[in-house]
Amino acid sequence: MSNLVVHAKKLYTPTGDKPKRGRELSQIERLQDVYICIDDGIISEITHQRPSSAIRYLSADLVVPGFVDCHTHIPFYGYREFDFLRRTGGFSYLEIHTSGGGIHESVEKLREASLSELICFNLKLVERLFRKGVTTLEGKSGYGLDRENELKQLQVLKVLSKMTPVDLVFTFMGAHAIAKGKSQSEYLQMLVEMLDVVKEECDFVDVFCDVGAFDIENTERYLKIAKEKGFQFRLHADEIERTGATQLAVSLGAVSADHLLKITEEDVRAISESNTIAVLMPATSFYLSDSYAPARELIDSNAIVALGSDFNPGSSAVIEPSFVMHLAVKQLKMSPREVLTAFTLNSASVLKLEKKVGTIEVGKQADMLLYNDADLETLTYLIGIIPDVVIKRGQIFEN
Ligand code: NIG
Ligand code: FE
């Protein structure tokens, strides 16, 4: 007798435990009238025969894997409404940032917040995303910009991971902006000194390599040290301007290069021939009224493409996974099938969790979303759609 059986009129899932590249992104499995048996949080069987008994039984029109948001800037504290209004008044993201606002405003807010204020504020955000179908989430530091506050952010993530059912992956992104009053190299030296301490909690290091943030030379030097210390690493690359960060990510063997709004044809070729995952975040382009990453060119050139929200208070104040998926179809010209793979198995691969989550298959963690009155296409069409039920490690959460 299984703990839980989920009957899916339609089950859509990518398959396997490796990221999909190019045309493989659209090769998802579509099963009809199947029963998914779950025991101890793990999928134990998927069968067309209705199991004779179960402790709990659920049925839905559509079942898909839980979404994996591989790029957010949780935790932060408070919002930046005036940034948004300044931008609508004509200022650019970079102008606001280089004049001491933007990320620096969030840094001030975060430094003033206590640990418990940060936990309460961010717990609500994580819970909201979970209800909308995000069952695995990456969060990062980068609004502390000094030792004490970067560690405070990582502490928040640690506490949150105990308080919510969501699987949380932590990234050290001290290299998000240069702390006020420090030179780039002085600041990076401080980060290097922190690496051994944060290694206990983080597997990943990330750098905002762009105009107004860290340059290519310093990024390379810093990441080589992080690599020697055993970190996996990622880059915010070619987001605001084309700096060559995507090619740097490829040449250093980064797990992912994220954003890619401004990449050239050569950059497309370089990342498509590599195992570095292209993480695309169309909500940022939308929010900044900027260009979109060349997703079609990337997929058609055989790249591994994943999706993320980039959820943060400045460049992507968008707490709506269905909108990210909608923009992926509308602006990135991806198909709903490609979107599903990019936001489940491929985004799980960015976090090195592809053997555990991202598909609905025997042996994987039972993380899945149940929808009624919906088909796969509905998920990218109806902005704001939420699953009727979220199942996380076999636990049932009804909306
Ligand atoms: O991914 N580009 C740098 N970091 C974020 C923005 C963070 C912020 O503005 O607070 C991004 O767009
Ligand atoms: Fe980001």
Side-chain angles (χ1 to χ4, degrees):
M1 183 166 61
S2 280
N3 300 143
L4 172 63
V5 171
V6 176
H7 169 238
K9 286 194 189 135
K10 282 182 188 163
L11 164 63
Y12 289 90
T13 179
T15 54
D17 51 16
K18 288 194 187 69
K20 304 286 182 190
R21 52 167 75 240
R23 289 165 62 158
E24 292 171 349
L25 266 108
S26 52
Q27 294 165 2
I28 62 169
E29 187 159 68
R30 180 174 174 275
L31 298 171
Q32 268 180 305
D33 263 317
V34 287
Y35 299 87
I36 306 156
C37 305
I38 298 163
D39 289 288
D40 302 322
I42 304 290
I43 300 167
S44 52
E45 193 183 6
I46 300 177
T47 167
H48 285 283
Q49 295 291 321
R50 185 181 169 140
S52 51
S53 61
I55 293 175
R56 185 89 196 259
Y57 178 84
L58 295 171
S59 183
D61 291 337
L62 173 71
V63 179
V64 296
F67 303 138
V68 178
D69 192 344
C70 65
H71 185 141
T72 81
H73 288 261
I74 291 174
F76 52 87
Y77 193 68
Y79 299 114
R80 303 215 303 264
E81 296 86 346
F82 288 109
D83 268 20
F84 164 62
L85 294 173
R86 258 178 264 163
R87 276 200 310 279
T88 58
F91 289 94
S92 70
Y93 180 84
L94 192 59
E95 280 165 342
I96 294 169
H97 177 69
T98 48
S99 68
I103 292 173
H104 295 289
E105 187 185 329
S106 290
V107 170
E108 278 161 32
K109 288 180 169 153
L110 183 121
R111 286 180 179 180
E112 277 166 26
S114 67
L115 190 65
S116 59
E117 283 171 327
L118 277 165
I119 291 165
C120 289
F121 184 84
N122 288 282
L123 180 62
K124 280 193 199 141
L125 301 177
V126 172
E127 282 178 345
R128 208 169 298 168
L129 286 168
F130 180 66
R131 293 284 175 191
K132 290 168 188 269
V134 176
T135 50
T136 301
L137 184 104
E138 183 256 11
K140 46 175 87 59
S141 69
Y143 291 125
L145 306 191
D146 62 21
R147 193 184 168 95
E148 177 193 340
N149 289 289
E150 285 291 307
L151 294 178
K152 183 165 81 177
Q153 271 191 287
L154 295 176
Q155 182 65 23
V156 173
L157 287 171
K158 212 165 153 182
V159 175
L160 290 181
S161 73
K162 298 206 174 86
M163 293 177 82
T164 83
V166 178
D167 278 313
L168 281 170
V169 174
F170 315 161
T171 299
F172 177 57
M173 200 183 179
H176 193 196
I178 301 157
K180 282 185 181 170
K182 285 211 156 67
S183 73
Q184 194 172 153
S185 52
E186 268 168 12
Y187 181 61
L188 283 175
Q189 185 50 38
M190 184 207 89
L191 296 184
V192 166
E193 285 159 19
M194 284 185 70
L195 287 175
D196 290 326
V197 179
V198 300
K199 187 78 187 71
E200 304 285 306
E201 350 230 302
C202 299
D203 293 328
F204 296 90
V205 162
D206 197 342
V207 180
F208 184 18
C209 179
D210 217 311
V211 174
F214 296 90
D215 61 32
I216 290 277
E217 293 70 32
N218 276 298
T219 302
E220 178 166 8
R221 212 170 305 133
Y222 173 63
L223 285 182
K224 279 186 171 160
I225 298 171
K227 189 175 177 178
E228 267 170 33
K229 290 186 182 288
F231 285 94
Q232 307 273 0
F233 53 93
R234 308 173 59 177
L235 272 180
H236 277 60
D238 300 310
E239 176 188 0
I240 309 297
E241 290 195 13
R242 197 270 169 190
T243 63
T246 303
Q247 296 218 21
L248 177 66
V250 169
S251 70
L252 292 177
V255 178
S256 70
D258 302 42
H259 286 293
L260 318 185
L261 270 55
K262 308 288 159 58
I263 57 174
T264 63
E265 272 175 39
E266 275 156 52
D267 300 333
V268 169
R269 205 170 316 126
I271 196 165
S272 300
E273 286 168 1
S274 78
N275 289 327
T276 297
I277 302 176
V279 176
L280 308 185
M281 295 174 291
T284 310
S285 302
F286 172 83
Y287 207 76
L288 295 180
S289 303
D290 206 332
S291 54
Y292 287 83
R296 262 312 4 123
E297 284 84 342
L298 285 162
I299 294 174
D300 295 343
S301 308
N302 212 29
I304 309 170
V305 167
L307 280 172
S309 68
D310 195 27
F311 178 48
N312 74 72
S315 65
S316 181
V318 177
I319 187 158
E320 189 47 76
S322 69
F323 188 53
V324 173
M325 295 165 78
H326 176 83
L327 289 172
V329 171
K330 191 171 187 170
Q331 302 289 356
L332 302 183
K333 310 292 177 205
M334 292 170 70
S335 70
R337 287 172 183 236
E338 289 170 337
V339 169
L340 185 69
T341 303
F343 209 28
T344 57
L345 178 59
N346 279 10
S347 44
S349 305
V350 174
L351 306 179
K352 301 285 174 196
L353 292 176
E354 67 274 26
K355 294 195 169 35
K356 199 169 132 190
V357 301
T359 74
I360 298 177
E361 290 176 292
V362 171
K364 288 253 177 129
Q365 197 166 286
D367 293 3
M368 56 190 85
L369 312 179
L370 279 58
Y371 296 86
N372 285 313
D373 308 316
D375 210 323
L376 179 62
E377 291 72 23
T378 325
L379 305 190
T380 61
Y381 149 85
L382 185 60
I383 300 169
I385 187 172
I386 56 167
D388 294 289
V389 179
V390 178
I391 295 181
K392 179 67 190 172
R393 270 185 246 105
Q395 252 188 294
I396 300 165
F397 299 85
E398 280 172 86
N399 267 323

